[in-house]
Structure formats: structure tokens, C-alpha cells
Amino acid sequence: PVYPQLADSEFSPVFRLLTIFAYGTYADYLAEAANLPPLTEAQKNKLRHLSVVTLAAKIKCIPYSVLLEQLQLKNVRQLEDLVIEAVYADVLRGSLDQRNQRLEVDYSIGRDIRREELSTITRTLQEWCQGCEVVLSGIEEQVSRANQHKEQQLALKQQIESEVANLKKTIKVTTAAAAAATSQDPEQHLTELREPAPGTNQRQASKKTSKAKGLRGSAKIWSKSN
């Protein structure tokens, strides 16, 4: 690779400064400033922004005291101006908690990854995948239970509907049989109205005959007296 050659060449100070911008912090630059090219104010602020990103990867609520020390700023006003500049540059998102003197980070950009960090990242991703598999297994088990419960409820519903239908049929047949047992034939009812019972006709006929005989006897008595 070209990297080892640059590290051992006459451009090694520039290469080291490049690696600091890629992976390091402003404190790393200050520690080696005597052997590195000087930085402009814009470059210093850029490296300070990246240093805040490095801190945000470890701590989401960064105290002002830590930022002032790591960024080598004189006062809180300079620190807050630097953070606001980083927010406008979309380097990070968060809020300044002036009462508690801390920076609360919601989001920050990512930085370059060192080769020696790849194994740690791989292990972290494997643990994350295992956690996802456990969660997925739990979700599948819950889905299976939900489907079984759904099938049981559906079978119970069908059973109840079948019992209700059979009960309706039974009630219908029973009602029809009761109605047939209590109802009369219309023609038979009319015949009973037209032809009274035999005992009733004889009594009425005897009453009429006695009335007629009585009238005849009275007529005879009336003629003899005359």
C-alpha cells in the first residue's frame, strides 16, 4: 500500500496531519504540533468540530468543562459559537443546556475507521445480528400464538352459530306442531255453526210443539164460551 511509503517519506508530517484529521482530535494535534504543519483558524475549527464528533460517539451529554479542555477554548462564549457553527454545518445536532453547562447531542456524523477497529465493529455487528434473531424468534412465537388463538375463536364461533341454527330449527318445528294441534278446520267450524247439536234441536222442537198445543187448547175454550 501507499500509506507506509508516505509515512516514511519526506511527506510524513503531512501524512500524520492527514491521519489526525481522519481519526484524531485537536488534542492529538496539539501534542505533536511542533512536528506538524501549522493550521489556519478555519482548519483548527474544522478539527475542533471533528473532536466534538469523537466525544459525541462516547458521551451524549458532554460537559462544557470537557469541551473547553479538549478544544482549548478560552471561555464558554467561544465554545457555544463553535457548537452553533458545527450545527449549521450539519456536523452534529443537539442543544446547549446553559443551566447545566453541557452539550446534549442528538446526532453526529461518522468518522473514518481505523483498520484495528474493524474486529471490534465486526463483533458488535455480530452481537447485534444475534439480538435481532432473538427478537425475530420471539415475534414469530407471538404470531404463532396469535394464529392459534384466532383459529380457536373461529372454531368456537362456528360451533355457536351451528348450535343457534339447530335451536332455531327446533323452535320452528315445535311452534308449527303446537299450532297444528290447537287450530281447527274452517269447514268443520262452519258445519258446527249451521247444524247445532242433536240434543239442542230436540229441546227446541218440543218447546215449539207445546206452545202450539197450548194455543190450540185456548182456542177451543174461547169458542165454547162464546
Side-chain angles (χ1 to χ4, degrees):
V2 181
Y3 295 154
Q5 296 177 2
L6 290 175
D8 298 332
S9 68
E10 57 181 334
F11 301 104
S12 60
V14 177
F15 175 76
R16 176 57 185 161
L17 181 61
L18 178 62
T19 57
I20 290 176
F21 269 89
Y23 314 114
T25 62
Y26 188 71
D28 295 333
Y29 171 77
L30 294 179
E32 304 180 36
N35 300 321
L36 298 176
L39 298 178
T40 64
E41 289 298 321
Q43 291 173 340
K44 289 180 181 180
N45 286 338
K46 178 65 175 180
L47 188 54
R48 286 187 175 111
H49 292 169
L50 296 175
S51 301
V52 176
V53 171
T54 300
L55 289 172
K58 302 175 182 178
I59 310 172
K60 293 304 179 183
C61 293
I62 310 173
Y64 278 6
S65 58
V66 175
L67 292 170
L68 289 171
E69 180 182 357
Q70 293 292 323
L71 305 180
Q72 290 296 302
L73 296 173
K74 297 179 180 180
N75 51 56
V76 175
R77 177 61 183 273
Q78 290 182 345
L79 174 61
E80 291 179 346
D81 289 343
L82 179 73
V83 172
I84 293 172
E85 182 182 348
V87 171
Y88 278 111
D90 203 23
V91 175
L92 58 89
R93 301 193 193 106
S95 60
L96 293 168
D97 187 353
Q98 295 179 338
R99 175 177 296 180
N100 296 314
Q101 294 287 291
R102 64 186 182 183
L103 169 63
E104 297 180 356
V105 180
D106 298 328
Y107 159 82
S108 63
I109 63 174
R111 299 200 64 181
D112 293 339
I113 301 172
R114 299 177 184 268
R115 289 182 178 273
E116 54 269 22
E117 296 175 350
L118 292 177
S119 58
T120 303
I121 295 174
T122 302
R123 183 173 62 255
T124 302
L125 291 175
Q126 289 176 348
E127 293 175 354
W128 180 76
C129 290
Q130 291 175 357
C132 290
E133 290 177 356
V134 172
V135 173
L136 181 60
S137 176
I139 293 174
E140 291 177 350
E141 183 178 356
Q142 292 180 2
V143 171
S144 177
R145 292 179 180 176
N147 290 333
Q148 291 178 359
H149 180 70
K150 180 180 178 181
E151 292 176 357
Q152 292 175 356
Q153 292 297 319
L154 182 60
L156 179 61
K157 180 181 178 182
Q158 292 177 349
Q159 180 181 357
I160 293 174
E161 290 178 351
S162 178
E163 292 178 355
V164 170
N166 293 333
L167 183 60
K168 287 181 178 179
K169 291 180 180 179
T170 303
I171 294 173
K172 185 176 180 181
V173 172
T174 305
T175 305
T182 56
S183 63
Q184 294 181 349
D185 188 1
E187 294 182 357
Q188 180 181 358
H189 184 64
L190 291 176
T191 303
E192 292 178 352
L193 292 176
R194 292 171 184 172
E195 298 180 359
T200 304
N201 292 338
Q202 291 177 358
R203 288 194 297 269
Q204 290 178 354
S206 60
K207 289 181 180 179
K208 290 181 179 180
T209 305
S210 60
K211 288 181 180 180
K213 290 180 178 179
L215 290 175
R216 291 175 185 174
S218 59
K220 291 179 180 180
I221 296 170
W222 177 264
S223 60
K224 288 180 179 180
S225 60
N226 289 337

